[in-house]
Amino acid sequence: MTEQLQLYDVTIIGGGPAGMYAAFYSGMRDLKTKLIDANEKLGGRMLIYPEKMIWDVGGVTPVLCEKLITQLEQQAQTFEPTIFLGQQIRDLEKQDDGTYLLETVTGEKHWTRTVILAIGRGILKMAKLELEGAERYEVSNLHYTVQELEPFRGKRVLISGGGNSAVDWANELEPIAEHVTVVHRRDQFGGHEKNIAKMNDSSVDVRTPYEVSQLYSSNGEMIDRVTLTHLETGVSEQLAVDAVIVNHGLKSDFSGIKDWGLSMDDWNVYVNAKLESNLPGVFAAGDFAYYDSKLNLIAGAFTDAALAVNSAKLYMDPEAPRMAYVSSHNERFKEKNKALGVVEE
């Protein structure tokens, strides 16, 4: 091991809600902590829908996803963990002393006693519209995510897709766009029932089973018409548009993590009640972790993160307390409370 390579107690791979909360809670356990994420920003999958309202985090009133990311990031940095962004982990090599050496696809190395995998669904990439020449419009009016609603005000918007995001975008854009059309290859939508009902009862023009079969541009720079084709009859029609939003799902890249010998299926690593994987010293949290009583909510990711950190602590020190003291009694918060002007009895 090279001398300049520092040994960390916990290295968290993934910067979504599970990873960020794990970084915070690891500080509560007084562990030397590192967080690594392949993206250039923290937030994980939440970065896809910054304009959505999040309602189901305990004790938090409805909050824009973008704001929740900011708050989670601030909390994650409470105990000043080392954070590396833009690094994609590929290899894991167990050392003779039981520690692990992690290596990125570009050759950076990280040395750690334990690993917490909080990688969600892996490195997510939007499934692209598979039509010739579609990529040329990505710089103008072909979109794969909605970062802001305002640019679509007064526009004729076509949404292609049938998942949660497509339905949500249709409902959010319907009040401000001139017209919203949704096309989906199947008659059934995959979103939440309440949101689908809201879309169907609104002015949104829902077309099923249809697909976008051709794009047209009068100036070669922006899409101004599309061809929609009925998948059962083969009948086509043209539709004038100002913007096209595509939500055909996500493609996932787990890099080399699937080659580590983890017990997993296509999407998840199997863990026990302590969030332990089948590899000693390797734990998981959030969407990537699967166990029988799994709760697939952001709130559940927080619990996963704390359990994984506690298990990592006990893995390194079996005599350590089973969990951190609550914040109201935790010594690590005394000075921080003073900085906030809180006088403790």
Side-chain angles (χ1 to χ4, degrees):
M1 195 68 60
T2 57
E3 292 183 5
Q4 65 268 27
L5 202 58
Q6 293 187 49
L7 177 62
Y8 281 76
D9 295 321
V10 176
T11 296
I12 302 155
I13 303 175
M20 286 189 280
Y21 193 77
F24 165 73
Y25 193 83
S26 186
M28 288 182 67
R29 298 302 323 248
D30 199 20
L31 297 171
K32 187 176 182 180
T33 306
K34 178 183 288 186
L35 186 152
I36 305 170
D37 194 86
N39 291 316
E40 296 295 338
K41 295 180 179 179
L42 293 174
R45 191 173 182 178
M46 294 193 299
L47 292 169
I48 297 171
Y49 44 88
E51 290 285 326
K52 280 191 177 181
M53 294 297 294
I54 306 298
W55 288 75
D56 53 6
V57 177
V60 177
T61 54
V63 59
L64 273 176
C65 186
E66 185 175 42
K67 184 176 180 181
L68 182 59
I69 292 171
T70 299
Q71 293 174 179
L72 283 168
E73 184 175 357
Q74 291 171 347
Q75 185 183 46
Q77 297 191 28
T78 301
F79 299 104
E80 300 179 349
T82 299
I83 297 176
F84 284 95
L85 300 177
Q87 293 194 19
Q88 182 178 348
I89 297 296
R90 178 183 60 194
D91 296 324
L92 174 81
E93 182 182 346
K94 193 167 187 179
Q95 306 300 294
D96 292 339
D97 60 0
T99 60
Y100 285 103
L101 186 65
L102 296 161
E103 185 172 353
T104 71
V105 294
T106 48
E108 294 91 355
K109 290 181 170 59
H110 302 274
W111 188 23
T112 187
R113 290 189 172 93
T114 63
V115 176
I116 295 177
L117 296 170
I119 59 176
R121 299 300 186 192
I123 299 169
L124 299 174
K125 297 179 181 178
M126 296 291 183
K128 295 296 186 75
L129 187 62
E130 295 181 356
L131 292 177
E132 184 177 355
E135 65 279 355
R136 79 177 69 168
Y137 304 114
E138 292 178 16
V139 297
S140 55
N141 63 340
L142 174 59
H143 310 272
Y144 289 99
T145 186
V146 176
Q147 298 292 329
E148 297 179 30
L149 300 178
E150 194 59 30
F152 299 95
R153 182 175 294 278
K155 302 290 181 65
R156 297 165 298 179
V157 182
L158 171 69
I159 301 173
S160 177
N164 276 319
S165 293
V167 174
D168 288 347
W169 291 337
N171 286 330
E172 290 169 359
L173 290 171
E174 188 267 345
I176 67 170
E178 177 182 324
H179 187 71
V180 177
T181 303
V182 175
V183 298
H184 184 36
R185 293 177 57 86
R186 293 182 291 277
D187 290 327
Q188 300 298 318
F189 284 82
H192 295 298
E193 292 179 2
K194 184 176 181 180
N195 294 336
I196 294 170
K198 179 181 178 181
M199 177 182 71
N200 288 332
D201 291 340
S202 71
S203 67
V204 173
D205 181 10
V206 178
R207 311 275 191 100
T208 64
Y210 276 86
E211 70 175 2
V212 180
S213 55
Q214 198 163 353
L215 307 175
Y216 301 91
S217 173
S218 58
N219 61 9
E221 296 179 359
M222 300 183 69
I223 303 165
D224 50 39
R225 288 177 297 130
V226 301
T227 295
L228 304 179
T229 301
H230 194 282
L231 294 177
E232 294 176 356
T233 66
V235 174
S236 295
E237 62 181 282
Q238 289 194 5
L239 181 73
V241 298
D242 298 307
V244 176
I245 302 170
V246 176
N247 178 237
H248 290 177
L250 300 166
K251 294 182 178 180
S252 182
D253 178 10
F254 287 100
S255 189
I257 290 176
K258 284 193 171 185
D259 300 324
W260 291 4
L262 291 163
S263 176
M264 61 180 295
D265 58 20
D266 289 341
W267 296 100
N268 303 102
V269 61
Y270 299 113
V271 295
N272 60 19
K274 298 178 181 178
L275 281 297
E276 297 169 324
S277 76
N278 60 304
L279 299 182
V282 178
F283 309 87
D287 286 343
F288 188 55
Y290 178 79
Y291 49 93
D292 287 342
S293 58
K294 178 70 179 181
L295 177 64
N296 288 306
L297 291 174
I298 292 175
F302 299 155
T303 299
D304 282 359
L307 289 171
V309 170
N310 285 334
S311 293
K313 177 79 173 185
L314 291 169
Y315 175 81
M316 291 179 283
D317 180 8
E319 302 301 319
R322 187 175 60 87
M323 58 178 285
Y325 288 111
V326 295
S327 61
S328 57
H329 293 82
N330 194 306
E331 291 291 328
R332 302 222 74 194
F333 290 99
K334 280 197 171 181
E335 291 302 318
K336 296 183 182 298
N337 286 339
K338 288 180 183 178
L340 293 173
V342 176
V343 178
E344 296 182 337
E345 297 296 332

